[in-house]
Amino acid sequence: MANRYAVGERDTRPWGTWEVVAGGDDYVVKRIIVSPGARLSLQRHQFREEHWIVVAGEGVVTRDDERIPVSRGVAVHLPLHCVHRVENGGAVDLVFIEVQRGDPLDEDDIERLEDDYGRAPEAPPSA
C-alpha cells in the first residue's frame, strides 16, 4: 500500500485547512476544518473510501443523491466512487476527523466534478 502523507503535514485550501494526525501503510487520519460559508469540491475518489466524524460545528454532507445534516458526533461513511462534499453554512468552523483507506493515498485521487474555487475541469463546449 502507498500512503504518501506524512504525520504533521498540513495544507491550507480556499475552504479551510487539513492536517494529517496519524497514518499507516493503508490508512491516513486527517483533522479537517471547513470555514463558515465554505464547502469542499463535489468530488469522488477512484482508490480510497473515507469515513468522517464531526467533532465541532454543523454542516451538510452530500453523498450521491443524499443530503445529510451533520453536527458533533455524527459519522458518515463515503464508499469508494461515491460523489460527495461537505459544506458549512454555519457561523463557526466545522471540524471533522477523516479516515481514508485505500491505495494509493494521496491528493491526486481527487476527481473534482464541481468547485466554487475554479479547480474543477471546464466542461467541454457543446457541439
Side-chain angles (χ1 to χ4, degrees), residues 2 10 39 64 76 96 124:
R10 300 169 191 236
R39 64 184 182 171
D64 291 325
V76 177
F96 63 97

Side-chain angles (χ1 to χ4, degrees), residues 48-86:
R48 72 178 187 234
E49 64 180 341
E50 297 176 344
H51 191 80
W52 295 348
I53 184 163
V54 176
V55 296
E58 296 180 347
V60 175
V61 172
T62 299
R63 179 177 62 194
D64 291 325
D65 296 328
E66 300 175 88
R67 287 187 48 84
I68 305 163
V70 294
S71 58
R72 192 173 73 165
V74 174
V76 177
H77 180 70
L78 303 165
L80 190 64
H81 306 297
C82 83
V83 173
H84 63 279
R85 82 166 11 139
V86 63

Side-chain angles (χ1 to χ4, degrees), residues 12-13 33-34 42 52 62 72 79 84 88 106 110 119:
T12 300
R13 298 294 172 111
I33 301 172
V34 183
L42 186 66
W52 295 348
T62 299
R72 192 173 73 165
H84 63 279
N88 178 359
D106 62 31
I110 299 173
R119 300 174 301 164

Side-chain angles (χ1 to χ4, degrees), residues 103-126:
D103 185 19
L105 292 170
D106 62 31
E107 290 298 291
D108 292 338
D109 188 28
I110 299 173
E111 179 186 358
R112 289 186 175 89
L113 307 171
E114 292 177 11
D115 183 70
D116 295 343
Y117 314 103
R119 300 174 301 164
E122 295 283 329
S126 54

